[in-house]
Amino acid sequence: MTALPPLILGSTSRYRRELLERLRLPFTADAPRVDETPLPGEAPAALATRLALAKAREVAARHPGALVIGSDQVADVDGEAIGKPGSHERAVAQLRRMSGRAVVFQTAVAVVRPDTGFEQVERVPVTVRFRALDDDEIERYLRLEQPYDCAGSAKCETLGIALLSAIESDDPTALVGLPLIRTSALLRAAGLDPVRQAR
């Protein structure tokens, strides 16, 4: 039986690392060296797809014997890319803008395996419907959770779920940052079956 290549998650995100751990596969993580600046006029869906593939390719170039996962997520509000707020003030502005609206979170995942030439990327859109939020609610939520490293300024896996009226997706972990259904399918296509290789 041919030995499987080492699995590498091309990400520094603790959320993606925790999600990938659910598949019970041994893996390491390596930070991709990729400029995440959007190209002029680049749509959020195209940005997420391009960055997921670029991250996987960059890490794979440094680990040519590995199988590499890259992922990216961009919040899409009226065709505008909304990133991680990074500060309380920007998070307040993001949640005010999203209040009472539907926001599409474009999550993309790529798998690259240089030794076989395998390279695929898939995008999973997630529609998130925010309730109408007042300023006191926004302020209290942000002080409690401080989700300044999350695109859209809310963590659906914890208290942020209470800000929402609906989440619409066919891959439930996509909103957290790594769509595990699509990731598993890509890994199988690349020669690593998560169920058969789980530990």
Side-chain angles (χ1 to χ4, degrees):
M1 188 167 101
T2 308
L4 290 169
L7 180 63
I8 300 177
L9 176 63
S11 177
T12 57
S13 165
R14 66 184 175 94
Y15 306 109
R16 289 192 180 103
R17 192 169 57 249
E18 289 168 1
L19 285 170
L20 188 56
E21 285 171 353
R22 293 185 189 182
L23 297 184
R24 300 179 60 164
L25 296 169
F27 72 94
T28 57
D30 193 358
R33 302 167 192 164
V34 171
D35 181 357
E36 298 189 26
T37 306
L39 301 174
E42 188 172 31
L47 174 61
T49 302
R50 177 176 64 83
L51 290 179
L53 189 54
K55 290 174 181 180
R57 283 174 172 166
E58 194 283 325
V59 173
R62 292 185 281 114
H63 303 277
L67 197 160
V68 181
I69 300 169
S71 188
D72 196 76
Q73 183 180 74
V74 179
D76 181 342
V77 180
D78 300 328
E80 179 187 345
I82 304 296
K84 298 171 185 174
S87 71
H88 183 80
E89 294 70 30
R90 289 187 59 188
V92 168
Q94 283 189 1
L95 288 177
R96 282 179 177 162
R97 183 172 179 188
M98 295 176 185
S99 174
R101 304 190 58 195
V103 178
V104 179
F105 286 77
Q106 304 284 358
T107 305
V109 60
V111 171
V112 172
R113 183 175 176 181
D115 67 339
T116 64
F118 181 88
E119 182 176 284
Q120 285 188 27
V121 61
E122 288 202 31
R123 182 178 52 83
V124 181
V126 180
T127 300
V128 176
R129 301 188 185 280
F130 283 81
R131 292 187 301 99
L133 307 171
D134 63 42
D135 283 352
D136 288 344
E137 197 170 21
I138 289 171
E139 186 68 26
R140 178 155 175 75
Y141 169 71
L142 291 176
R143 293 293 178 199
L144 287 168
E145 289 232 303
Q146 302 179 14
Y148 308 132
D149 61 344
C150 296
S153 304
K155 295 181 184 180
C156 70
E157 64 273 31
T158 51
L159 181 60
I161 198 78
L163 304 180
L164 311 179
S165 61
I167 297 172
E168 299 160 10
S169 175
D170 62 1
D171 201 333
T173 58
L175 186 56
V176 184
L178 186 65
L180 289 180
I181 293 173
R182 297 302 202 295
T183 300
S184 295
L186 290 174
L187 289 175
R188 282 194 302 273
L192 191 162
D193 187 320
V195 175
R196 296 181 190 281
Q197 302 302 322
R199 295 182 181 176

